[in-house]
Amino acid sequence: MRQIKITETVLRDGHQSLMATRLTTAEMLPIIKTMDSVGYHAIECWGGATFDAAIRFLNEDPWQRLKEIKKRAKNTKLQMLLRGQNLLGYRHYADDIVEKFIERSIHNGIDIVRVFDALNDIRNMETALSAVKKYQAHAQATLCYTISPVHNIDYFTRLAVDLENIGADSLCIKDMAGILTPQIAGELVSSLKRNVDLPIEVHTHATSGISQMTYLAAIKAGADMIDTAIAPFSEGVSQPATEAMVIVLDESEAFYTNLNMGCLEEVSDYFEKIKETYLENGMLDAKMLATTPKTLLYQVPGGMLSNLYAQLKDAGAEDKYQEVLEEVPRVRKELGLPPLVTPMSQMVGTQAVFNVITGERYKMVPNEIKEYVRGAYGKSTVPISDEIRKKIIGDKQVIHVRPADLIEPEFNNMKLELGQLAQSDEAVLTYAMFPKVGKAFLENKATANKIGSKNDEKNTTIKINAVWS
């Protein structure tokens, strides 16, 4: 029998996909010790959109969240998702920022760093993977799975060989849209097993309704690990349910998981109460829990679906949802067939929304799309046509080198810019990721600390007076 290892995603991708990453640290911490007793291979709890959401919407310090989770997870590895040279932001950063961010992430508790690039441009992953190994964590390199005339088994196999050659410790097939079918999953995993000597993890979403079959096909072909989410935050645009996959695998004669079902039930019961709260307040929309086989046609990732719907809801244009879904593959094709994963998913999705709402395609173009077309994010899978390029950036010069080669070291300058707020490397990195939002967060935190200190002094004085009286 072969053990299949499970990575639990509820603290990151589970709630990111279903409700735009709104779980709070206070909601997470009471259950961490129980999760630590389940026997997971890893708990994915950081990276992705968690950093942005924490400081932008929750007024929480993501670094503090990581440290608090680490205190309670004594036996289970903590995993994060990192966007290569983009880190957790939406632009490329200088190599010194990338290395510093990874060093501090590992120092504060991360054991496994899953590194991907939205374009599968290996040049954008090398610095991050090298830094992860330098600071002695596990470097998992990612194949962002997508479908196109050029994204075939040979393409992904060549990419996997290249990633093994630059030092990856394991590989993840990242199917962010839930479009990896069982047949292709089996063929792809088999090809990787023949050509690379690394553990293979498979990540998919339940959006299209085929995810459990995909996992079983991948496992039978030799996959070593899968990503799942505890039942209350599973299915729909999230991952398959942890409990369901564990039961199926443990009942088989070929595989086992070694997970504690009693602890899993306790974790599930805990998150079920939290889920009900978010359904009641509207943050978790039932639409995100639905199965949508049309995903196989539109190839839109789970997190992208919830964000697109939220954008349209804010604009009072929910009725345009289907039209936007149909526009996404058209925009993607015109922009060189990028995989729809952060930040490309947000960029392509936003452009699709603009095209539909304005009624004129490319009348409004975000700066990020202009920079991408210019080559500032890396090399597109296939060349962008001269017609589309001119429509978006005119006659601006296109970049052909590794984008980060054009960025001077940034950390010390950002530290100077931040001034008195630069109380730690983590504070500087928060500012680096999101200059406006990050600085506002740090200012609010400093103000709150001052008020807290004054209250402590006042309370201390009262206590002293009480003693002396």
Side-chain angles (χ1 to χ4, degrees):
M1 293 182 74
R2 181 160 60 89
Q3 183 179 6
I4 305 302
K5 297 178 180 179
I6 306 288
T7 295
E8 173 61 57
T9 68
V10 66
L11 301 186
R12 206 285 297 175
D13 204 13
H15 71 114
Q16 178 173 322
S17 294
L18 290 175
M19 55 183 211
T21 333
R22 292 301 197 274
L23 279 184
T24 66
T25 303
E27 289 167 329
M28 296 177 185
L29 295 184
I31 198 63
I32 299 299
K33 288 183 179 179
T34 304
M35 293 179 72
D36 192 38
S37 300
V38 169
Y40 294 119
H41 164 64
I43 297 171
E44 186 190 51
C45 64
W46 218 58
T50 60
F51 199 103
D52 187 0
I55 63 172
R56 189 183 302 270
F57 302 114
L58 305 177
N59 194 33
E60 291 188 4
D61 187 339
W63 298 101
Q64 190 61 34
R65 173 185 293 182
L66 175 56
K67 286 187 277 192
E68 292 299 324
I69 292 174
K70 188 65 175 180
K71 286 179 186 176
R72 294 160 174 79
K74 304 290 188 184
N75 308 302
T76 312
K77 294 175 182 177
L78 299 185
Q79 179 174 303
M80 73 172 293
L81 182 68
L82 190 85
R83 302 171 195 143
Q85 208 73 28
N86 287 161
L87 295 176
L88 304 181
Y90 300 100
R91 70 168 177 89
H92 277 211
Y93 296 90
D95 289 340
D96 67 328
I97 292 281
V98 172
E99 179 160 328
K100 178 66 77 172
F101 192 93
I102 289 170
E103 184 269 321
R104 296 320 295 166
S105 299
I106 293 168
H107 174 82
N108 282 291
I110 291 297
D111 302 291
I112 303 170
V113 183
R114 178 178 292 172
V115 179
F116 76 91
D117 177 67
L119 300 174
N120 284 324
D121 188 337
I122 198 167
R123 301 173 304 168
N124 296 333
M125 302 169 70
E126 288 176 316
T127 299
L129 290 170
S130 176
V132 175
K133 293 182 74 68
K134 177 179 177 179
Y135 294 107
Q136 300 182 331
H138 181 100
Q140 185 176 82
T142 306
L143 316 174
C144 289
Y145 181 78
T146 190
I147 297 171
S148 82
V150 296
H151 291 97
N152 52 33
I153 301 296
D154 287 342
Y155 168 90
F156 287 113
T157 301
R158 290 194 305 271
L159 178 60
V161 171
D162 289 342
L163 291 169
E164 182 179 37
N165 288 339
I166 65 170
D169 295 315
S170 65
L171 295 175
C172 173
I173 301 169
K174 181 176 172 61
D175 173 30
M176 51 279 175
I179 57 175
L180 179 61
T181 60
Q183 180 67 31
I184 301 301
E187 292 176 10
L188 178 53
V189 172
S190 294
S191 179
L192 295 184
K193 282 293 182 180
R194 287 194 304 269
N195 289 278
V196 298
D197 188 25
L198 295 174
I200 306 294
E201 186 154 5
V202 183
H203 171 98
T204 192
H205 289 252
T207 321
S208 62
I210 63 173
S211 56
Q212 292 92 340
M213 291 182 284
T214 294
Y215 273 164
L216 285 176
I219 288 167
K220 288 177 181 177
D224 304 280
M225 301 165 279
I226 58 172
D227 290 3
T228 62
I230 201 74
F233 281 86
S234 71
E235 305 303 325
V237 294
S238 180
Q239 277 73 56
T242 303
E243 303 95 308
M245 290 305 305
V246 169
I247 289 170
V248 168
L249 291 170
D250 285 349
E251 282 188 351
S252 76
E253 295 181 356
F255 312 107
Y256 69 99
T257 65
N258 256 359
L259 266 59
N260 184 314
M261 186 54 72
C263 289
L264 276 178
E265 288 181 12
E266 190 176 335
V267 173
S268 186
D269 290 344
Y270 178 85
F271 280 108
E272 183 63 42
K273 295 174 184 176
I274 293 174
K275 175 185 177 180
E276 291 302 321
T277 299
Y278 283 100
L279 281 169
E280 289 171 7
N281 67 22
M283 180 58 69
L284 175 54
D285 194 304
K287 182 183 280 284
M288 296 302 107
L289 296 168
T291 299
T292 313
K294 284 185 178 180
T295 301
L296 296 170
L297 300 175
Y298 304 133
Q299 302 175 27
V300 179
M304 186 177 174
L305 281 171
S306 58
N307 283 327
L308 282 176
Y309 187 75
Q311 278 183 279
L312 291 169
K313 194 172 183 180
D314 288 343
E318 298 102 310
D319 60 316
K320 302 286 187 183
Y321 186 62
Q322 186 64 32
E323 195 175 341
V324 168
L325 287 184
E326 293 170 4
E327 176 67 2
V328 166
R330 287 193 287 267
V331 171
R332 178 180 176 242
K333 184 176 180 180
E334 291 166 343
L335 295 181
L337 294 173
L340 291 180
V341 64
T342 303
M344 291 311 307
S345 55
Q346 286 87 343
M347 290 157 60
V348 170
T350 299
Q351 187 63 62
V353 169
F354 284 173
N355 286 357
V356 168
I357 289 180
T358 63
E360 182 180 339
R361 305 185 78 243
Y362 301 105
K363 179 181 181 180
M364 290 177 61
V365 180
N367 287 331
E368 290 83 359
I369 290 284
K370 293 177 182 177
E371 284 296 286
Y372 162 69
V373 171
R374 198 169 66 86
Y377 284 83
K379 186 179 180 181
S380 60
T381 308
V382 298
I384 298 170
S385 71
D386 290 339
E387 179 188 355
I388 293 293
R389 180 177 283 111
K390 283 197 171 186
K391 193 167 189 177
I392 293 176
I393 63 170
D395 295 322
K396 284 187 177 179
Q397 188 174 0
V398 175
I399 295 168
H400 295 290
V401 299
R402 183 183 80 116
D405 288 343
L406 303 176
I407 307 174
E408 295 293 328
E410 299 181 274
F411 187 82
N412 289 334
N413 288 339
M414 289 189 171
K415 190 173 184 178
L416 290 173
E417 286 177 15
L418 198 53
Q420 292 184 340
L421 291 172
Q423 295 294 311
S424 64
D425 287 350
E426 287 83 353
V428 178
L429 292 166
T430 298
Y431 172 67
M433 293 303 96
F434 307 100
K436 290 183 180 179
V437 175
K439 188 173 184 180
F441 169 77
L442 293 168
E443 287 171 341
N444 291 337
K445 184 179 178 182
T447 301
N449 286 342
K450 285 182 181 178
I451 293 172
S453 295
K454 287 181 180 178
N455 287 338
D456 287 343
E457 289 174 11
K458 183 178 179 182
N459 291 336
T460 301
T461 302
I462 291 171
K463 288 176 183 176
I464 291 172
N465 288 340
V467 171
W468 282 101
S469 62

